[in-house]
Amino acid sequence: MKSVCFGIGQTIAVLSFAVLTSSPVQAGLFNPEVFELENGLQVVVLEDHRAPVVTQMVWYKVGAADEPVGKSGIAHFLEHLMFKGTTNAPGNTFSQTVAASGGRENAFTSHDFTGYYQTLAAANLEQVMKLEADRMTNLTLSEKDIVAERNVVMEERRSRTENKPSALLGEQTAAAQFLTTPYRIPVVGWAHEIQQLNREDAFAFYRQYYAPNNAILVIAGDVLTADVKKLANKYYGVIPRGDVTLRNWPQEPPQLSPRRVELRDQRVQQPSWRRSYLAPGSFDAKKHLAEPLDLLAQILGGGTTSRMYQALVVEQKIATSAGSWFSGDSVGPARFGLYARPVAGGDLATVEKSMDAEIEKIISGGVSEAELNRAKAGMLALATYARDSVTRKARIFGRALVIGQTVEGVETWPQRVEAVTRQQVQDAAKEVLDLRRSVTGLLLPEKKS
Amino acid sequence: MKKIQLVSSLFVALAFFSGPAFATDISEMRTPAGLDVWYVQEKSIPILSVEISFPRGSVHEPDGLGGLANMVSSTLDEGAGDLNALAFQTRLEELAISMSFGSSKDTFRVSLKTLSKNRDEAFRLLGLALQSPRFDQKAVERIRRQIQTRLIGQAEDANAIAAKAWFKKTYGDHPYGRPSLGTKQSIARITPADLKAWVDANFRLDGILIGAVGDVDQAEIGRLLDIALAALPKAQVTPEVSKIMPSSAGSTIVIRKPNPQSVVMFGMPGIMRDDPDYYAAYVMNYVLGGGGFTSRLYQEVREKRGLAYSVYSYLYPYEHSAIYLGGLGTANERVVESLDVVKAEISKLAEQGITDEELVKAKVFLNGSFPLRLDSNAKIARMLVAIRISDLGMGYIDQRPGFINAVTVEDVRRVARRLLRSGAMTWVIVGDPAGIDG
């Protein structure tokens, strides 16, 4: 499932980023400073002087969807290998340096991007800028590192996916949804392909995509833009441009018929139901549907007051959860998703019928003014709450710029949400919630023989 | 070059943690109704975050009603006063108020976050939830169904299975051994009257701990907290919970599940928060399996051998007991090797302690990382309450570096010998491990 990012030490759900990405405030509230180095590195500075803390993030415009055929998992594997040291900072010098100032670090990979970050005392910023710039070009890898880390990634795949039947269904439904878009392949990679990944694959990918003109640097916290400019030029500015090939993913053909995936697993005790519809991504001709779809997801299934929760969980008592999500910030096509879990002993057919009825109702009857206003209020408030966390602000801008959105796009997001009408939400529902463009996934226990 | 880098950053970190920005800004204040509050005024963002803790948790549940505290936490916002569940939730959403409740073994937690402009209504709604929750039959039944589904889900989840077995083995029938979600039977038994009785008996002002961070002045935060809390009854009935030593019998439990990866959980008796050697144990744990990519377990299990994606250990001091826990996930074929590596590291630490260099690095990390964890108003409010729960005192944030810096290699050696006794460890393996009986 695209919404899951794989990090070296922890998961970062892009789904949760997505909500936040769509949560900046009136122009001037975040006050980002943006500039570009001569070698093409884009830099964003977000000054915040509440505490003497700083976050550095480097986002590369490369992810799992850029992998060569048969090399699935290489983007994420490389993310792990980036912690193995360089000629100048061998072994885990980088991690030791971060730890030596009490700092935190991690990394994440999605289909669209790969990112690295450290949060630490502002006084140590120069050191980590030096080290992060260093590993943009000077990575070294021993055969021993490769073998051990490949096993780590296999264990990561086992714990996140193979031990969890619902995650296996997630992989199968994504693969069924996309015929040609590389989102059909899981970010972590298919097990049999991960096992074949080697040092040459990692270096080839690294050399092809890790370059200043393919990256965004975000520095947020107790810093001055002028100082960041100086340091960025000193450490990142000396790295030559790379010869980066532009993305050229095959275009997803129109989906003409509904698809169904049924996964039975002896470990399942609690069946569940899910569906996703192909939806416009950030660069689709219909990208103007993004904000109406965000609001639709909220009204239809965003919480306990939503249509689906009220109908299936409260009134009909056939489910214990029911809802919807939308994650429109993507380079390729996006998905609009639904999920529901029946009550103990309940069946999926009943749940599916009721979910369909709610879809039908919103397509034919639209949404009320009160529903729309409530959804807007919640989304706009996130913008204010987002200002509370330095790292969150850094993520919002990194995530937006790395997939090709603009600072202005981020800053004017509240106005776009504010402007959405009831008619637009209904039209978006009609346009996107078309069964012919859906994949329905059923998770079931094994049949008793 | 490596050495020089480390030394210079040590210096910077030491300089830094001596003055976390907010530490000097905490004020201890009293609301007009007499509630003691720790408050930090943070004017730059128009929001308010409040954290409240009652000294009551799942260990205080009546026998046979396991899961009651958790069920209360899930049902409090399902209607209160004249608002039914939908009306209450709708009001929260319209105003973008975030209100959440949670129970742990020893405490009951309340968190409120609101835009400042909506603060009056936010605190009024919180007051309704705490003082007059409705527990309407329909809402209670719905929450009951949800908990029952979660219980079924836990029966599929290797981590949940391992934890349940570990706590049962370690604490037996003592309330600490009880699953916090309850059981199928206990959840079926709980009535709205039970939920109400819990609230009446436990939401009392004696023992309540409050931390708040926001953009309003002290008088205003005092007025708001009184709206939500002042009407609660005062006197607390002292609940009886016996102190208990975790089992130190030592054993290995294998629970067979058809998963490709085995989940391994291990643990032993730990150390109480007020033990004189607590900070020595804290340093020891950082070196063994605490945070970051530099611990011994991380290096030996993950980095060198690729045996696991996640391997960790942590101290867990409760109010009436303490445990030391760790875990990892590894392919079934590699469980034996993984256990050998972990056991070897634990024995080595018990026998030899840590090096001078490890001690220095641990101190620098533990001191430097503390203020970095407090990067939002809500986290600061939570930390204020955590400090109060452990009764560490107003000066704790300033004193903490001193406590950690006072730890010596000999202290760690002593506490390692005391805690890390291989015969006292309980291992639970959930999966289909090769080469292990059971």
Side-chain angles (χ1 to χ4, degrees):
Chain A
M1 186 157 152
K2 191 194 147 274
S3 59
V4 177
C5 266
F6 292 85
I8 186 166
Q10 76 188 69
T11 326
I12 294 161
V14 173
L15 203 56
S16 70
F17 282 5
V19 174
L20 296 164
T21 305
S22 342
S23 53
V25 211
Q26 313 73 302
L29 210 43
F30 286 111
N31 291 316
E33 293 273 354
V34 185
F35 55 93
E36 193 172 315
L37 304 189
E38 277 178 26
N39 60 12
L41 180 73
Q42 277 179 281
V43 187
V44 180
V45 185
L46 291 146
E47 291 192 26
D48 183 331
H49 303 285
R50 286 180 299 163
V53 175
V54 69
T55 292
Q56 168 177 247
M57 296 187 130
V58 169
W59 298 68
Y60 291 97
K61 297 177 194 175
V62 61
D66 298 297
E67 293 164 341
V69 173
K71 303 286 182 190
S72 69
I74 192 65
H76 170 249
F77 187 34
L78 174 61
E79 176 229 296
H80 277 235
L81 294 172
M82 286 286 280
F83 289 79
K84 297 297 182 188
T86 68
T87 38
N88 302 319
N92 68 349
T93 304
F94 197 159
S95 291
Q96 290 281 0
T97 306
V98 173
S101 71
R104 304 266 165 191
E105 60 172 335
N106 218 321
F108 45 86
T109 307
S110 82
H111 280 116
D112 290 350
F113 53 78
T114 312
Y116 302 82
Y117 69 91
Q118 305 83 33
T119 297
L120 73 179
N124 293 315
L125 176 64
E126 179 166 1
Q127 274 189 310
V128 291
M129 286 181 76
K130 183 179 176 184
L131 287 162
E132 193 66 89
D134 175 47
R135 77 172 163 184
M136 192 181 280
T137 44
N138 295 319
L139 186 67
T140 52
L141 294 172
S142 74
E143 197 52 44
K144 210 173 144 230
D145 286 338
I146 294 283
V147 173
E149 203 58 36
R150 198 168 49 211
N151 282 329
V152 170
V153 172
M154 284 301 294
E155 293 299 347
E156 183 175 359
R157 187 182 154 84
R158 285 187 192 105
S159 66
R160 286 189 198 281
T161 310
E162 289 169 15
N163 262 21
K164 295 183 177 151
S166 64
L168 289 171
L169 176 62
E171 277 189 351
Q172 297 295 310
T173 48
Q177 183 96 66
F178 299 104
L179 292 181
T180 58
T181 307
Y183 295 170
R184 56 187 283 106
I185 298 164
V187 171
V188 73
W190 299 116
H192 64 283
E193 293 187 357
I194 297 172
Q195 275 156 343
Q196 302 299 320
L197 296 176
N198 59 40
R199 191 169 176 273
E200 287 63 45
D201 297 331
F203 265 121
F205 201 74
Y206 177 64
R207 293 208 188 90
Q208 190 175 354
Y209 292 110
Y210 280 52
N213 47 321
N214 202 38
I216 318 284
L217 169 67
V218 185
I219 307 284
D222 191 17
V223 293
L224 297 172
T225 304
D227 294 339
V228 172
K229 243 180 214 168
K230 230 179 288 168
L231 293 172
N233 272 305
K234 183 173 173 189
Y235 295 112
Y236 289 94
V238 295
I239 304 170
R241 270 173 187 274
D243 187 13
V244 180
T245 19
L246 286 177
R247 280 172 161 158
N248 189 20
W249 302 342
Q251 199 186 331
E252 187 65 27
Q255 184 178 342
L256 305 176
S257 68
R259 299 167 194 157
R260 287 179 83 81
V261 176
E262 180 181 302
L263 189 133
R264 288 186 180 269
D265 190 303
Q266 59 166 323
R267 297 170 292 178
V268 173
Q269 306 199 24
Q270 175 64 50
S272 62
W273 181 92
R274 66 174 75 191
R275 179 184 293 159
S276 58
Y277 300 84
L278 272 184
S282 300
F283 303 94
D284 195 283
K286 291 176 181 158
K287 67 171 192 245
H288 59 275
L289 293 178
E291 289 78 27
L293 287 172
D294 281 335
L295 291 160
L296 174 67
Q298 187 60 28
I299 294 166
L300 196 55
T304 59
T305 65
S306 70
R307 299 258 185 119
M308 286 173 166
Y309 187 93
Q310 284 296 318
L312 279 84
V313 181
V314 177
E315 282 153 30
Q316 298 158 20
K317 303 180 179 63
I318 56 173
T320 58
S321 70
S324 60
W325 54 269
F326 177 61
S327 176
D329 297 311
S330 65
V331 175
R335 288 192 290 168
F336 188 102
L338 313 176
Y339 62 89
R341 195 177 272 274
V343 293
D347 71 288
L348 297 183
T350 314
V351 162
E352 181 167 346
K353 209 172 143 202
S354 286
M355 292 293 272
D356 278 334
E358 289 310 311
I359 299 274
E360 185 43 46
K361 217 180 287 174
I362 215 159
I363 287 174
S364 58
V367 301
S368 74
E369 198 65 37
E371 285 176 314
L372 183 60
N373 287 339
R374 199 163 70 230
K376 283 181 182 178
M379 290 177 71
L380 295 171
L382 284 176
T384 306
Y385 291 138
R387 289 169 59 204
D388 193 17
S389 163
V390 170
T391 50
R392 204 176 300 170
K393 285 189 282 194
R395 280 177 195 165
I396 287 168
F397 282 93
R399 167 91 205 258
L401 296 187
V402 80
I403 65 166
Q405 293 171 339
T406 62
V407 169
E408 295 68 40
V410 173
E411 296 277 351
T412 55
W413 178 83
Q415 288 92 305
R416 295 202 303 280
V417 170
E418 220 34 291
V420 173
T421 64
R422 290 167 58 196
Q423 189 61 51
Q424 286 171 330
V425 174
Q426 187 177 1
D427 290 346
K430 212 175 290 179
E431 169 81 33
V432 172
L433 304 181
D434 179 338
L435 199 62
R436 289 170 299 180
R437 289 200 292 270
S438 74
V439 178
T440 303
L442 312 177
L443 184 65
L444 290 160
E446 222 154 58
K447 272 186 186 136
K448 299 241 163 59
S449 52
Chain B
M1 174 175 176
K2 183 177 172 184
K3 274 264 177 326
I4 291 167
Q5 273 183 351
L6 279 175
V7 169
S8 68
S9 59
L10 291 192
F11 177 75
V12 172
L14 289 165
F16 167 63
F17 75 70
S18 62
F22 65 91
T24 49
D25 301 335
I26 305 170
S27 48
E28 192 170 14
M29 53 164 281
R30 182 161 287 183
T31 70
L35 300 168
D36 288 320
V37 182
W38 287 14
Y39 182 57
V40 174
Q41 190 169 356
E42 168 54 64
K43 286 188 175 167
S44 62
I45 304 169
I47 59 176
L48 282 171
S49 291
V50 171
E51 185 80 10
I52 299 166
S53 173
F54 294 100
R56 293 294 181 272
S58 61
V59 295
H60 307 103
E61 290 162 345
D63 284 339
L65 296 181
L68 178 60
N70 173 67
M71 198 158 166
V72 167
S73 75
S74 307
T75 321
L76 276 181
D77 58 0
E78 294 288 344
D82 55 351
L83 302 172
N84 68 15
L86 180 58
F88 193 88
Q89 292 285 334
T90 300
R91 199 74 191 118
L92 290 178
E93 263 184 38
E94 281 167 353
L95 300 175
I97 296 163
S98 146
M99 186 186 293
S100 70
F101 307 95
S103 66
S104 68
K105 291 192 189 296
D106 298 311
T107 62
F108 193 97
R109 182 184 61 77
V110 179
S111 302
L112 180 72
K113 189 165 83 170
T114 180
L115 302 174
S116 297
K117 64 177 180 184
N118 298 331
R119 60 187 184 271
D120 273 76
E121 184 66 354
F123 282 81
R124 186 183 78 87
L125 291 170
L126 179 62
L128 283 183
L130 294 175
Q131 294 161 28
S132 39
R134 290 163 62 120
F135 299 129
D136 290 335
Q137 188 74 41
K138 276 186 178 169
V140 171
E141 292 312 319
R142 173 162 46 84
I143 299 298
R144 193 194 312 279
R145 288 192 295 273
Q146 289 175 341
I147 295 173
Q148 282 163 341
T149 313
R150 275 180 67 194
L151 285 169
I152 297 172
Q154 287 198 341
E156 287 176 27
D157 176 4
N159 286 295
I161 295 167
K164 191 176 164 194
W166 193 91
F167 276 90
K168 181 74 187 161
K169 174 73 190 165
T170 301
Y171 285 117
D173 292 331
H174 188 277
Y176 277 128
R178 206 151 62 190
S180 56
L181 264 193
T183 62
K184 203 177 159 193
Q185 293 77 17
S186 68
I187 291 306
R189 205 177 287 139
I190 293 169
T191 64
D194 294 326
L195 298 166
K196 185 78 174 53
W198 167 271
V199 165
D200 290 344
N202 296 302
F203 291 172
R204 302 282 176 115
L205 294 182
D206 281 358
I208 193 174
L209 299 171
I210 307 164
V213 181
D215 73 331
V216 298
D217 65 20
Q218 286 195 23
E220 178 65 358
I221 197 75
R223 183 186 72 84
L224 294 165
L225 285 164
D226 280 352
I227 291 175
L229 301 169
L232 290 174
K234 219 172 152 36
Q236 189 78 258
V237 188
T238 311
E240 290 294 320
V241 175
S242 54
K243 280 214 187 298
I244 178 169
M245 271 305 285
S247 160
S248 55
S251 59
T252 301
I253 300 167
V254 179
I255 300 171
R256 294 279 164 192
K257 288 282 163 189
N259 277 339
Q261 185 185 68
S262 289
V263 166
V264 177
M265 189 170 158
F266 56 90
M268 60 205 112
I271 185 162
M272 299 293 283
R273 187 65 183 78
D274 58 1
D275 191 291
D277 267 337
Y278 180 79
Y279 291 97
Y282 194 60
V283 167
M284 179 198 81
N285 176 59
Y286 173 72
V287 174
L288 180 65
F293 300 150
T294 52
S295 76
R296 288 184 181 187
L297 288 181
Y298 186 91
Q299 286 298 319
E300 296 300 321
V301 174
R302 174 168 163 160
E303 202 69 7
K304 287 191 191 156
R305 297 179 179 83
L307 288 168
Y309 171 62
S310 161
V311 55
Y312 61 88
S313 68
Y314 53 90
L315 294 168
Y316 224 128
Y318 295 120
E319 188 72 28
H320 306 283
S321 192
I323 51 178
Y324 188 26
L325 283 179
L328 61 90
T330 192
N332 289 325
E333 313 78 67
R334 301 201 292 170
V335 172
V336 171
E337 184 187 354
S338 300
L339 293 189
D340 286 347
V341 174
V342 172
K343 285 175 181 173
E345 285 307 313
I346 290 175
S347 312
K348 190 173 139 204
L349 185 53
E351 286 156 20
Q352 299 167 24
I354 65 173
T355 66
D356 291 328
E357 196 191 350
E358 284 175 318
L359 180 67
V360 171
K361 286 183 178 174
K363 287 178 178 178
V364 170
F365 177 84
L366 294 172
N367 281 326
S369 64
F370 183 69
L372 298 178
R373 300 210 301 253
L374 305 172
D375 72 343
S376 72
N377 290 357
K379 285 186 192 169
I380 293 171
R382 216 169 301 145
M383 176 62 72
L384 296 178
V385 169
I387 291 171
R388 298 190 71 179
I389 288 174
S390 298
D391 199 18
L392 301 169
M394 267 298 255
Y396 174 71
I397 289 173
D398 293 329
Q399 294 157 3
R400 185 181 181 277
F403 295 146
I404 285 172
N405 287 335
V407 173
T408 66
V409 164
E410 188 40 53
D411 293 335
V412 174
R413 196 189 305 270
R414 179 178 61 250
V415 82
R417 267 198 305 263
R418 176 179 147 198
L419 293 179
L420 305 176
R421 291 173 293 127
S422 56
M425 293 181 66
T426 297
W427 299 78
V428 179
I429 305 159
V430 179
D432 194 14
I436 293 182
D437 293 337

